[in-house]
Amino acid sequence: MRSAGTTGTTVSTVSTTSAEFFVRAQKVLPGGVSSPVRAFGAVGGTPRVIVRAQGAEVEDADGARYLDFVGSWGPLILGHAHPAVVAALSAACARGTTFGAPCPGEIELAERVVGAYPGLEKVRFVCSGTEATMSAIRLARGFTGRELVVKFAGCYHGHADHLLVQAGSGLATFAKPSSAGVPAAFAQRTLVLDLDDEEALLALFRARGDEIAALIVEPLPANNGLLVQRPAFLAALRRATAQAGALLVFDEVISGFRVARGGMAQLSGITPDLATFGKVVGGGLPVGAFGGRAQIMDRLAPEGPVYQAGTLSGNPVAMAAGLATLETLEREDGWARLEQLGRALESRLAPVLAAAPFPARLVRVGSIFWIALQEGEPPRRADAIDPAAAERYRGLFHGLLARGVALAPSAYEVGFLSLAHDAGHIERFAVALKEVLAA
Ligand SMILES: *Cc1c(COP(=O)(O)O)cnc(C)c1O
């Protein structure tokens, strides 16, 4: 029970339920949320208001607990409130939360990121994945002196104007903004291709290669289902950009420090010119980063003419959470353990999904998974996702939630395993899923 008077006039003396909180939320926050997908728009119903979390579980304001596979949408690779992260945060806070001056934490985390990621020599810290991709694109434009950017339909790179654009259809189709408020002129500097279409890629680079500053891609697209790419396609991106003198940007905001120490660059053996990070690298605090060869990174202010800055960038508290997270992953052989856990999840869920009344299969890379609710091979491009999946997912999502298992509230979002998950949690998930599919 909450005590009265903690926040002024409107707090009641009885405990506030999740639903009551959300009524209040909708009066003062657009949609009741600080980020749109949290609002349950795609699945219906009322979001749970979470008051605390520990390990693999979150607890809502009604005291209901959920086995959590959202992991705050990716950052929490150690689980919630990991003791090493909490201790590092407390110690850092006690020393001062931000100095607006260089601090040891940012140097140590930069050394770690540079040491972990293929081809990286320098890195700049920012406060979100959006800032990382936005700044990487500006840097690519400043470095090449060109304006056009190529992205892929279904890849999400945060909400900067130039990257918040819809699919055009193939070669040299100028993109339309996918949000109100993005000037058409901005979106027109972004060309959109389909994933897994090498012909369209080559045709675009033949036609306009010398105008292209950068091609940005999630090397493991994980924001529109989990669209695992053929290694040959990623290699084609590397070849096409190198030949055209354009920069290849791997957006590893989800995959970085999650699928391997060196992200998808390590797994694919392909080294991009620039890479962007977020989520895991901040250990649950607002951190993003982008990096590349010194020759490119030194074009940034104060060394070079490309401006980029941030009041809270590289602050010691955020850096401490990132450092504690990466240290713990190293010490506990985290990536190998997560792969084992992922394999266990896959083998336990496969027969359950195979017995579902509609087509369903698990797509998984390391600790990232997605339930593809459609026939055939797992899709490799956004337009290969069956729109009927969203309808099927709604029932699945709510059935699981009622049984105390939380997946992301959208058919297009992936799930995450953390080092806080164990075989018992996987069993609980499988049993709940089986019940829901039988119902
Ligand atoms: C989450 C994400 C972003 C945006 O990061 P924010 O911290 O939410 O701004 C960018 N790119 C990819 C691949 C992401 O998954």
Side-chain angles (χ1 to χ4, degrees):
M1 186 153 124
R2 300 178 57 218
S3 57
T6 50
T7 59
T9 55
T10 56
V11 176
S12 76
T13 51
V14 295
S15 60
T16 304
T17 67
S18 187
E20 286 164 357
F21 263 127
F22 199 63
V23 169
R24 280 168 56 190
Q26 285 169 293
K27 291 185 184 145
V28 287
L29 299 164
V33 292
S34 297
S35 190
V37 190
R38 297 178 194 170
F40 277 26
V43 290
T46 306
R48 306 299 185 265
V49 174
I50 304 300
V51 294
R52 64 175 67 82
Q54 179 68 59
E57 288 193 332
V58 297
E59 184 182 319
D60 73 11
D62 303 325
R65 289 193 185 175
Y66 304 89
L67 176 55
D68 178 39
F69 293 102
V70 184
S72 190
W73 307 77
L76 300 180
I77 197 163
L78 305 180
H80 294 274
H82 188 281
V85 176
V86 173
L89 282 173
S90 320
C93 285
R95 288 191 296 263
T97 55
T98 174
F99 311 131
C103 68
E106 68 186 344
I107 301 164
E108 286 169 30
L109 189 57
E111 286 168 350
R112 260 184 197 274
V113 173
V114 164
Y117 197 86
L120 222 65
E121 292 175 345
K122 291 191 177 180
V123 67
R124 161 99 19 122
F125 289 111
V126 291
C127 295
S128 70
T130 293
E131 264 189 275
T133 57
M134 178 186 84
S135 306
I137 293 299
R138 183 181 302 143
L139 177 58
R141 285 175 163 151
F143 180 76
T144 59
R146 301 172 180 180
E147 285 202 350
L148 295 183
V149 170
V150 180
K151 78 176 282 287
F152 292 94
C155 282
Y156 177 65
H157 304 295
H159 60 85
D161 284 347
H162 289 269
L163 294 169
L164 203 59
V165 293
Q166 258 172 359
S169 52
L171 171 64
T173 301
F174 283 116
K176 291 195 193 73
S178 58
S179 164
V182 176
F186 283 17
Q188 284 169 3
R189 297 289 181 278
T190 304
L191 305 167
V192 183
L193 292 173
D194 284 316
L195 288 161
D196 197 40
D197 187 346
E198 197 172 328
E199 245 171 71
L201 171 82
L202 296 181
L204 175 58
F205 273 81
R206 260 196 310 275
R208 316 202 57 178
D210 61 356
E211 300 169 69
I212 296 170
L215 178 148
I216 186 168
V217 65
E218 294 179 72
L220 176 63
N223 277 288
N224 203 307
L226 187 58
L227 306 173
V228 182
Q229 296 302 294
R230 292 176 300 115
F233 184 67
L234 295 179
L237 303 182
R238 180 64 286 182
R239 271 197 311 277
T241 45
Q243 277 167 13
L247 300 189
L248 176 62
V249 184
F250 271 7
D251 182 354
E252 300 237 30
V253 170
I254 281 192
S255 50
F257 298 99
R258 157 104 19 212
V259 297
R261 178 188 294 110
M264 282 300 292
Q266 178 187 325
L267 293 191
S268 68
I270 294 166
T271 303
D273 300 296
L274 291 172
T276 58
F277 305 93
K279 300 191 172 119
V280 172
V281 80
L285 268 78
V287 178
F290 62 104
R293 296 190 298 281
Q295 174 209 13
I296 302 173
M297 293 303 289
D298 284 342
R299 302 296 287 168
L300 279 178
E303 293 285 299
V306 179
Y307 194 70
Q308 195 287 323
T311 301
L312 294 174
S313 294
N315 74 74
V317 177
M319 298 295 103
L323 270 170
T325 298
L326 298 190
E327 279 166 11
T328 304
L329 280 165
E330 295 284 354
R331 194 175 55 245
E332 300 192 355
D333 200 14
W335 295 287
R337 278 180 53 203
L338 286 165
E339 172 60 27
Q340 279 168 11
L341 214 56
R343 271 199 211 132
L345 179 80
E346 196 171 341
S347 58
R348 186 63 186 88
L349 291 197
V352 176
L353 291 171
F358 42 77
R361 67 188 298 166
L362 196 78
V363 183
R364 178 189 72 86
V365 175
S367 56
I368 307 176
F369 65 90
W370 178 56
I371 301 175
L373 299 173
Q374 64 186 72
E375 300 281 0
E377 285 301 298
R380 296 190 195 283
R381 42 190 276 177
D383 60 4
I385 297 181
D386 184 351
E391 189 59 46
R392 292 174 186 142
Y393 187 79
R394 211 167 290 171
L396 196 74
F397 170 82
H398 281 292
L400 285 171
L401 200 64
R403 286 165 180 79
V405 176
L407 294 184
S410 160
Y412 300 99
E413 301 290 344
V414 295
F416 296 99
L417 291 167
S418 74
L419 287 181
H421 289 108
D422 61 23
H425 296 130
I426 289 174
E427 187 58 26
R428 260 170 73 188
F429 184 9
V431 168
L433 188 61
K434 195 171 176 184
E435 278 178 28
V436 172
L437 292 173

